[in-house]
Amino acid sequence: MKRKKIETHKIGLVGQAPSRRGDPRKPLAGPNGKKIARLAGMSYDELIACRRRHLNTHYNGKRGKGDPFDLAKGNVKAADVLLDWRVERIVLLGKNVARCFGFRDLPFLAEISIYGRRFLIFPHPSRMNRWWNERRNERRARQLLQRFLRGETVPAEFSKSRRSARTPARTSATGTSANGSHGTLSRRKPSRISRGSP
């Protein structure tokens, strides 16, 4: 059976920040982008044809035990993405990025349908992310990323019930946590959305 082609004009990828030697004007134009392309089963040129953005424009390096990611700037850029991009599917690279879009306490590989679009919370592709140390995690990430990018849905057998306290509107999500368990999220839309939600 022939696989559905990936329609790059319908896809966006959002990362945290450029790497130390990365160019802020070319998001994912380095090793992390090549890793995502490999996992996605697409060429690097196809990946570059997708919409791409970093939520922070500069690599801030390590600051002791603190997180160098600027959430305030990230929230502003996430709102810009939601307003400006006309894409159907958006891959959020890392939990900091997911938080800027209002998705908290969801596992890696969770898929969310909201705002008329689909989002995939994908592990940050950096070698520093220990989540990638498990071979089964990489295999599962590749499988779900490729399905997501082709516009396919996750089969029902991969879903179980899961709750999140901080997802702002009607969503449905399926995913795999770091320990390999799978989850599904379903919530009803509240009467109002709290301030600061994307």
Side-chain angles (χ1 to χ4, degrees):
M1 188 168 125
K2 191 176 179 182
R3 284 188 169 184
K4 189 176 175 184
K5 190 179 178 201
I6 294 172
E7 299 172 292
T8 56
H9 64 283
K10 295 183 178 181
I11 296 165
L13 299 122
V14 183
Q16 291 186 154
S19 63
R20 187 175 296 131
R21 295 184 192 94
D23 185 341
R25 297 164 300 176
K26 298 176 182 176
L28 300 171
N32 287 341
K34 287 177 181 165
K35 180 173 183 174
I36 294 290
R38 178 178 55 80
L39 290 167
M42 59 169 52
S43 72
Y44 184 65
D45 288 340
E46 285 177 304
L47 179 104
I48 296 302
C50 298
R51 295 293 304 260
R52 297 165 289 125
R53 182 173 291 179
H54 286 128
L55 295 186
N56 284 190
T57 53
H58 299 289
Y59 175 82
N60 293 324
K62 297 262 184 191
R63 290 188 201 155
K65 292 186 179 177
D67 189 345
F69 183 76
D70 187 329
L71 276 170
K73 286 181 183 174
N75 289 335
V76 171
K77 291 274 181 77
D80 289 344
V81 165
L82 291 173
L83 290 170
D84 297 342
W85 284 12
R86 299 290 179 258
V87 296
E88 293 177 2
R89 299 179 293 283
I90 300 176
V91 180
L92 307 176
L93 300 171
K95 293 212 174 175
N96 282 333
V97 173
R99 279 170 44 200
C100 290
F101 282 82
F103 306 129
R104 297 168 181 87
D105 305 322
L106 288 173
F108 286 139
L109 306 180
E111 183 183 313
I112 303 102
S113 294
I114 189 170
Y115 309 122
R117 289 175 230 180
R118 291 169 60 195
F119 298 83
L120 179 68
I121 301 175
F122 202 75
H124 191 279
S126 167
R127 286 180 296 175
M128 302 298 287
N129 185 351
R130 284 180 274 178
W131 188 90
W132 293 106
N133 291 347
E134 295 233 9
R135 202 170 274 184
R136 68 179 176 171
N137 285 348
E138 182 167 337
R139 187 168 55 246
R140 187 82 182 123
R142 179 184 295 111
Q143 181 184 36
L144 290 181
L145 178 63
Q146 290 182 15
R147 282 186 175 151
F148 179 80
L149 295 178
R150 288 193 304 265
E152 299 170 7
T153 55
V154 177
E157 66 264 21
F158 295 131
S159 302
K160 282 187 196 167
S161 214
R162 185 177 184 89
R163 294 177 52 147
S164 171
R166 303 266 319 173
T167 304
R170 181 167 173 71
T171 64
S172 66
T174 57
T176 308
S177 65
N179 65 9
S181 64
H182 309 295
T184 315
L185 168 70
S186 182
R187 287 182 50 99
R188 292 183 183 170
K189 186 174 181 178
S191 56
R192 69 179 192 203
I193 296 174
S194 62
R195 202 173 199 195
S197 296

